[in-house]
Amino acid sequence: MSDMRRIVVPEGLLGMRADVAIARVLGLSRTAAVAVLDGGGADLDGQILRKSDLLSDGLLTVVLPSTEGARPEPAVQGGLPIVFEDDDIAVVDKPVGVAAHASPGWGGPTVVGALASAGVTLADSGPAERQGIVHRLDVGTSGLMVVAKSNPAYSALKRAFHDREVDKTYHALAQGHLDPTEGTIDAPIGRHPTSDYKFAVTSDGRHSVTHYSVLEMMPAASLLEIQLETGRTHQIRVHMTALHHPLVGDLTYGADPALAQKAGLTRQWLHAVRLSFAHPVSGTRIEFVSPYPLDLIRALEALRG
């Protein structure tokens, strides 16, 4: 059975492209939204929408692909580490190869599915595909994520992320040597002009700010500590590419395949190493730290040599 959604177009989506609006309101990837539109699966007051059509007032109907007969979600190999859990939140150490939540076109494990298998019930706030999810990490990025188990925690954490009250620290390995060795990248990020699945620094993009400092220099790479003021999709990867220092292993954004091979990497070297925020109910400031996973440790060893 298909999954049909009917939504009165909210004011914030008026004038927005159909593919962008559907991705945003339903929590889909842009690619998944385009697939729905290309298949005639969305209409506005009965008029079939194309991906470039602009939304106006009316009733938006979207038919998502059926999941009937789909294979069960695979388990996270080795299990999903839960770093902290109480009645309101859970903090997990997400391995590489695990998505935050299910989406059309993704058949691998998810944080939401792994928590459900472990008996962890998440808040029922938010879009159906990502209930309890207050922020995300890319499939190819490992490290710390917090999810909401109660609705008050969901609301408080969403506000905290929006108001930049959550400290998110990443470690990343960038190609080459950065000069200066610390700085701030303040450059807007939007959809890539020619590649639908990528992002880029664009004049009409959303405000995006990244702070970096070099922790260690190696012959061909620099280990960085990065803090984000904003949380755009692929932000660190896009900003480092804009500096002509793509992350080691990030072939999507122009990294050197030979260096990735030398490091033994099949993904970008990027890890969410530290997460600090006020507990959404008690208000107590809490902090969590995640060690590097084995593939990133081995990559450092190979490039230091």
Side-chain angles (χ1 to χ4, degrees):
M1 181 180 297
S2 297
D3 183 4
M4 179 178 292
R5 309 291 177 86
R6 289 190 172 92
I7 306 158
V8 176
V9 177
E11 184 176 349
L13 299 186
L14 295 177
M16 187 177 292
R17 281 176 54 115
D19 54 352
V20 176
I22 288 173
R24 186 168 299 178
V25 76
L26 294 181
L28 303 176
S29 69
R30 179 86 167 271
T31 301
V34 168
V36 169
L37 287 156
D38 287 348
D43 69 72
L44 183 64
D45 289 338
Q47 183 70 36
I48 296 295
L49 289 170
R50 297 168 299 178
K51 63 183 180 182
S52 60
D53 289 342
L54 305 183
L55 292 193
S56 57
D57 284 319
L59 180 65
L60 175 66
T61 301
V62 181
V63 179
L64 298 176
S66 173
T67 57
E68 186 175 349
R71 292 181 301 172
E73 179 180 308
V76 176
Q77 187 173 6
L80 179 69
I82 300 176
V83 178
F84 174 85
E85 183 183 5
D86 63 12
D87 291 340
D88 298 293
I89 65 171
V91 177
V92 302
D93 197 349
K94 187 188 83 67
V96 66
V98 179
H101 56 79
S103 61
W106 174 250
T110 68
V111 170
V112 170
L115 288 174
S117 297
V120 178
T121 302
L122 300 182
D124 58 13
S125 298
E129 296 80 9
R130 50 180 175 174
Q131 288 182 340
I133 298 294
V134 294
H135 71 127
R136 289 175 288 180
L137 296 177
D138 294 342
V139 171
T141 301
S142 51
L144 295 166
M145 278 183 60
V146 58
V147 297
K149 294 179 59 180
S150 69
N151 290 334
Y154 179 89
S155 298
L157 285 171
K158 289 292 284 187
R159 182 199 59 76
F161 275 99
H162 178 270
D163 294 346
R164 303 176 188 174
E165 295 173 355
V166 178
D167 292 331
K168 299 171 288 181
T169 303
Y170 296 78
H171 283 184
L173 191 63
Q175 292 184 185
H177 297 158
L178 278 74
D179 184 16
T181 56
E182 61 180 46
T184 296
I185 309 164
D186 187 345
I189 292 176
R191 285 282 172 180
H192 194 282
T194 60
S195 298
D196 186 63
Y197 60 92
K198 292 170 59 177
F199 293 80
V201 171
T202 61
S203 59
D204 59 348
R206 300 174 70 189
H207 176 63
S208 308
V209 179
T210 301
H211 305 284
Y212 74 88
S213 60
V214 175
L215 298 175
E216 178 186 354
M217 284 191 179
M218 302 166 204
S222 301
L223 181 64
L224 311 177
E225 181 162 284
I226 293 177
Q227 291 185 311
L228 300 181
E229 281 194 26
T230 53
R232 310 303 176 211
T233 302
H234 298 182
Q235 178 172 323
I236 295 172
R237 301 166 66 188
V238 170
H239 272 170
M240 297 315 300
T241 297
L243 289 186
H244 306 292
H245 293 283
L247 301 187
V248 175
D250 194 359
L251 305 186
T252 298
Y253 284 100
D256 180 1
L259 190 61
Q261 184 176 18
K262 180 178 180 180
L265 284 173
T266 57
R267 54 110 160 193
Q268 67 267 11
W269 203 113
L270 181 60
H271 186 65
V273 71
R274 188 161 57 248
L275 185 64
S276 175
F277 54 92
H279 189 282
V281 175
S282 71
T284 302
R285 193 80 186 178
I286 49 180
E287 180 176 290
F288 304 94
V289 176
S290 168
Y292 299 158
L294 187 58
D295 65 331
L296 302 189
I297 292 173
R298 288 175 172 167
L300 289 178
E301 292 171 348
L303 295 184
R304 283 171 179 149

